[in-house]
Amino acid sequence: MKHVPIIVLDFGSQYTQIIARKLRESGVYSEIVPYNEKIEDIQAKTPKGIILSGGPASVYAKDAYHPDAKIYDLGLPILGICYGMQLISQHFGGSVVPADHHEYGKAKLNFEKESAIFKETTNGQIVWMSHGDRVENIPEGFEKIGTSENSPFAAIANSAKNIYAFQFHPEVYHSQEGSKLLKNFAKHICGCESTWNMGSFAKEQIQKIKDKVGNKKVLCGVSGGVDSSVVATLLAEAIGDQLVSVFVDNGLLRENEREQVEAMFASRGVPLITVDASEQFLSKLEGVTDPETKRKIIGETFIRVFDEEAKKHDGIEFLAQGTLYTDVIESVSVKGPSKTIKSHHNVGGLPDWMKFELIEPLREIFKDEVRILGLELGLPKQMIGRHPFPGPGLAIRIMGDVNKPDLELLRKADTIMLDVLHSTGLYDKTWQAFTVLLNVKSVGVMGDNRTYDNTVCVRIVEATDGMTATFAHIPHEVLETISRRIINEVDGINRVVYDISSKPPATIEWE
């Protein structure tokens, strides 16, 4: 089944991906494409509407990003968000200027006129502004439909052309009814139906895998995390014993993780090959302190270990990975001018010397969609609810050199922190929780003795898709328990700190 999408043109906003996810939550399929996507390629997707995302540039700047102007002649409904609104205004003859007062943060949206895009939402709702430019004069044919204290044109529309624009960001969490506004655009203006769900996605992917693989075999790298487990389950459903599942112990795992992964696959009747490559990984990481170099070494070593294992089996022509949409977005701006945040070990294709073809069935879906997909496939809730764990493992939770003593220290601290969260019922209420070994030593007193030991940082965040996150407001008594237990039970640690930064500006992981 071909899903007719809402096309989101990416102009570089870090929020672009949230637009797509919010639409999918309402059952409307959406795709993100670069701002300069060819008009023929847009038409080939037979979209029902187009959204122009926000972006960091100014529309009047010399190097400003502009879409193919023919998008305005397709007769499709268009919604511009922030930079997208300024593009629309400029294109149709309005004016955009630097704002006298930058508007950043929460604002109250006041309706000036009734509009289908405001259907069943509240006048005076809180929205999130983030802009340094403003529309000074709106184009002919457009009317003001919403204002805020510092934005006389917070929302405008040309109902004859079915073009709408917001100065604010409806996609972000802080916009109280933003999801409804996007849903109104998709359903009441574009005429989309709610046909996108993980049940239909699972059936489509299983059939795609069958068609692609034929009678060949697939090597699937599994970690025991949600993503790779869902991929393995999809493959098992599609091709049965043509699947060769391989778990690599890279020496960078959490406490007892290897045993837990093996038990989980055994309980589901899926054969699993375990390869202990810990010495290989740790020797290559010796003396390496740069985070990006760590990630690349780990990614390359994974590929070589998988290749070595594949040579032991006849007929393997495919390598499957649990790559997610967020991995792709944060690694490389394949969809538009969004800035690269960090590389991911499983993104970017395979090296030329490796002759496998990649299978990445989750590449275009978000983490929350993967969890729903896992439940559709019958995976246990306990496994589906596991917090995300990065492919490079504990290597990127140790600041500086990665070695066995530091890994053991971090594992002990991490196990204690997770134990406290489980016992207080907070684990299932948070998105991700972990400890970071800072390799910063400080003076302490334990008993009557002076100590000069390590500091660990506890990082606990709340999020929906991992693209944005806020630090979790954990009760002080729980944090106190975590700190006390780590310091008392882990020799070599005398100080515990709590990370109270959100994403953005920080990332969730430290490296």
Side-chain angles (χ1 to χ4, degrees):
M1 175 183 175
K2 181 180 178 182
H3 294 281
V4 178
I6 297 287
I7 294 293
V8 181
L9 295 186
D10 179 16
F11 291 91
S13 170
Q14 294 301 326
Y15 300 141
T16 300
Q17 296 74 32
I18 306 176
I19 302 171
R21 189 181 63 75
K22 291 292 186 183
L23 287 167
R24 292 184 187 188
E25 279 181 2
S26 66
V28 176
Y29 180 64
S30 62
E31 283 185 22
I32 299 170
V33 301
Y35 71 94
N36 55 358
E37 185 87 342
K38 292 180 181 178
I39 197 72
E40 300 82 22
D41 293 337
I42 292 175
Q43 288 177 298
K45 296 178 184 294
T46 61
K48 299 276 280 186
I50 295 174
I51 295 179
L52 311 183
S53 83
S58 295
V59 293
Y60 47 75
K62 183 180 179 181
D63 57 351
Y65 299 125
H66 288 276
D68 189 321
K70 293 176 185 174
I71 64 166
Y72 301 108
D73 301 325
L74 294 176
L76 294 171
I78 295 175
L79 171 63
I81 295 174
C82 199
Y83 182 82
M85 172 178 178
Q86 294 156 19
L87 281 172
I88 289 169
S89 298
Q90 184 188 61
H91 175 79
F92 286 101
S95 60
V96 180
V97 298
D100 295 331
H101 302 284
H102 289 203
E103 199 170 12
Y104 183 82
K106 295 178 181 178
K108 186 180 291 187
L109 175 65
N110 299 307
F111 299 164
E112 292 291 312
K113 295 201 171 180
E114 285 188 12
S115 172
I117 208 160
F118 293 152
K119 185 179 175 67
E120 295 179 0
T121 67
T122 309
N123 191 5
Q125 64 189 269
I126 298 300
V127 296
W128 185 259
M129 294 284 187
S130 179
H131 61 97
D133 296 335
R134 65 178 177 83
V135 175
E136 186 177 46
N137 294 299
I138 60 175
E140 186 177 344
F142 284 75
E143 60 181 350
K144 172 170 60 178
I145 60 172
T147 63
S148 72
E149 184 178 358
N150 289 322
S151 287
F153 303 113
I156 62 174
N158 183 325
S159 53
K161 292 182 177 291
N162 249 355
I163 297 177
Y164 298 78
F166 297 148
Q167 185 57 75
F168 57 91
H169 288 271
E171 70 274 24
V172 303
Y173 171 79
H174 303 292
S175 289
Q176 289 177 334
E177 300 184 53
S179 296
K180 289 183 181 178
L181 297 175
L182 290 171
K183 182 178 179 180
N184 284 343
F185 174 71
K187 295 196 170 183
H188 299 304
I189 294 168
C190 299
C192 295
E193 296 180 359
S194 296
T195 57
W196 173 254
N197 61 72
M198 288 299 100
S200 62
F201 178 82
K203 292 175 184 175
E204 290 168 20
Q205 289 302 316
I206 288 169
Q207 189 59 51
K208 281 183 180 179
I209 292 167
K210 285 181 178 178
D211 294 342
K212 188 171 187 176
V213 173
N215 61 357
K216 306 298 182 184
K217 290 182 180 177
V218 179
L219 184 74
C220 180
V222 301
S223 67
V226 178
D227 309 332
S228 62
S229 297
V230 169
V231 170
T233 305
L234 268 175
L235 287 161
E237 291 269 346
I239 59 174
D241 58 10
Q242 293 166 245
L243 170 65
V244 179
S245 295
V246 178
F247 172 67
V248 176
D249 182 351
N250 59 7
L252 306 169
L253 304 172
R254 290 166 292 192
E255 195 79 29
N256 300 320
E257 190 143 30
R258 174 172 169 172
E259 293 79 6
Q260 291 168 4
V261 170
E262 290 172 335
M264 184 184 71
F265 272 78
S267 70
R268 296 197 57 78
V270 178
L272 180 70
I273 298 168
T274 299
V275 178
D276 188 342
S278 53
E279 293 298 330
Q280 189 174 340
F281 278 85
L282 292 177
S283 64
K284 288 179 180 291
L285 288 168
E286 188 175 353
V288 177
T289 58
D290 178 69
E292 278 297 289
T293 306
K294 286 182 191 177
R295 287 176 174 272
K296 287 174 182 175
I297 287 171
I298 292 165
E300 290 166 4
T301 307
F302 265 123
I303 291 294
R304 293 195 178 275
V305 171
F306 286 134
D307 187 56
E308 289 169 13
E309 183 60 35
K311 290 174 181 175
K312 302 175 185 178
H313 306 269
D314 294 327
I316 294 180
E317 295 191 8
F318 300 90
L319 177 66
Q321 295 185 152
T323 309
L324 300 190
Y325 207 4
T326 42
D327 297 335
V328 175
I329 293 157
E330 291 191 336
S331 293
V332 58
S333 53
V334 294
K335 297 294 187 184
S338 301
K339 302 295 184 185
T340 298
I341 307 300
K342 58 189 176 186
S343 67
H344 286 259
H345 77 283
N346 57 346
V347 178
L350 297 173
D352 293 338
W353 56 265
M354 199 175 199
K355 302 307 178 186
F356 296 133
E357 190 175 347
L358 272 178
I359 290 181
E360 298 173 303
L362 312 182
R363 189 180 176 90
E364 292 295 325
I365 66 174
F366 295 97
K367 187 76 173 188
D368 52 330
E369 292 177 310
V370 175
R371 294 189 193 280
I372 298 169
L373 177 59
L375 293 174
E376 287 281 349
L377 293 168
L379 291 172
K381 285 185 179 181
Q382 183 180 5
M383 193 280 292
I384 290 298
R386 289 190 75 189
H387 286 185
F389 187 62
L394 298 180
I396 57 168
R397 292 178 180 174
I398 293 177
M399 303 294 101
D401 181 39
V402 180
N403 55 71
K404 286 184 178 180
D406 282 355
L407 283 165
E408 193 58 29
L409 204 66
L410 182 58
R411 282 192 189 100
K412 289 177 179 177
D414 202 58
T415 299
I416 290 168
M417 183 272 300
L418 292 173
D419 181 56
V420 173
L421 287 189
H422 279 294
S423 66
T424 55
L426 290 170
Y427 182 88
D428 291 333
K429 296 177 181 178
T430 53
W431 166 266
Q432 196 167 2
F434 55 93
T435 53
V436 182
L437 185 63
L438 301 184
N439 267 317
V440 172
K441 291 191 174 183
S442 64
V443 174
V445 178
M446 299 182 77
D448 293 324
N449 296 317
R450 176 188 185 274
T451 61
Y452 188 61
D453 283 332
N454 273 293
T455 304
V456 293
C457 175
V458 173
R459 177 77 158 141
I460 307 174
V461 299
E462 296 173 348
T464 303
D465 52 23
M467 292 305 300
T468 61
T470 56
F471 71 90
H473 292 239
I474 301 297
H476 289 178
E477 59 270 22
V478 176
L479 293 175
E480 183 180 16
T481 301
I482 291 170
S483 175
R484 185 183 66 252
R485 283 194 55 190
I486 289 175
I487 292 171
N488 287 344
E489 297 175 31
V490 185
D491 289 338
I493 296 174
N494 69 354
R495 192 176 296 271
V496 176
V497 298
Y498 188 58
D499 185 343
I500 58 170
S501 51
S502 295
K503 175 186 180 181
T507 54
I508 294 178
E509 297 287 348
W510 275 51
E511 289 191 345

